[in-house]
């Protein structure tokens, strides 16, 4: 019940295309859903986050779509650029203990 | 900007050695966390701490211990290093349990190799 399932494991997208990464969870106690971006040799960095009372959040080319009834959320990267090539982790936080449960990550490669 | 600093980027140790990984944050955060990151397994929580002198076991605490003597410093200890502890270790911090929806801020990791 504590798991966050992330797919796909890896993704190749043409420059200018839309990259879509999906996550699903079971525990309804999760109340904050951040996405992290990690470049090689660096720690994960917060990219964008959403609360379950909102169905969509957009920051620049990055959008989170959230479906509370289906317990699913996804990251969309519009007009994908080679500089977006990184590993992306979805995550969920339970407000009671502040612990983050991470998905296993998606390695995204944008073709120039 | 929050700065989480891990003392070593790369570390090579031998089986059976006692290994210390150090982490310091400069934003007066109450919560600190240690993860290990392995290909295909994502990030797994080893230990965490909500306050000085406090520690809680994460999902994979076996073979590890931690120390938090000061608020800004959180140390991960491998009591007797084994080859299956070769991994990337990531430290993180967040504001406090009393503040909801606070993200964790990560250091750049220590790549530890046990020979």
């Amino acid at each position: 019940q504590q798991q966050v399932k992330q797919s796909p494991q890896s993704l190749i997208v043409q420059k200018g295309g839309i990259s879509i990464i999906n996550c699903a969870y079971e525990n309804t106690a999760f109340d904050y859903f951040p996405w992290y971006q990690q470049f090689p040799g660096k720690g994960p960095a917060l990219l964008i986050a959403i609360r379950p009372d909102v169905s969509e959040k957009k920051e620049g080319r990055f959008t989170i779509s959230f479906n509370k009834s289906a317990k699913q959320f996804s990251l969309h990267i519009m007009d994908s650029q080679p500089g977006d090539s990184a590993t992306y982790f979805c995550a969920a936080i339970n407000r009671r203990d502040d612990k983050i449960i991470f998905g296993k990550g998606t390695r995204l490669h944008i073709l120039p | 900007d929050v700065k989480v600093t891990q003392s070593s980027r790369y570390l090579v140790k031998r089986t059976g050695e006692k290994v210390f990984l150090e982490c310091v944050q400069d934003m007066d955060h109450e919560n600190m966390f240690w993860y290990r990151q392995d290909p295909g397994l994502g990030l797994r929580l080893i230990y965490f701490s909500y306050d000085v002198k406090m520690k809680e076991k994460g999902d994979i605490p076996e073979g590890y211990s931690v120390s938090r003597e000061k608020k800004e410093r959180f140390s991960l200890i491998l009591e007797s290093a084994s080859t299956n502890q070769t991994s990337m270790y990531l430290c993180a911090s967040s504001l406090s349990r009393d503040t909801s929806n606070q993200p964790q801020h990560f250091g750049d990791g220590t790549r530890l190799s046990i020979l």
Side-chain angles (χ1 to χ4, degrees), chain A residues 10-25:
Chain A
S10 63
L11 183 60
I12 299 174
V13 175
Q14 291 280 351
K15 179 183 175 182
I18 302 173
S19 303
I20 302 174
I21 303 170
N22 300 300
C23 287
Y25 64 98

Side-chain angles (χ1 to χ4, degrees), chain B residues 48-63:
Chain B
F48 58 103
S49 168
Y50 292 134
D51 203 350
V52 177
K53 305 283 186 182
M54 286 183 62
K55 60 183 179 183
E56 303 274 352
K57 291 181 179 179
D59 300 319
I60 51 164
E62 296 78 20

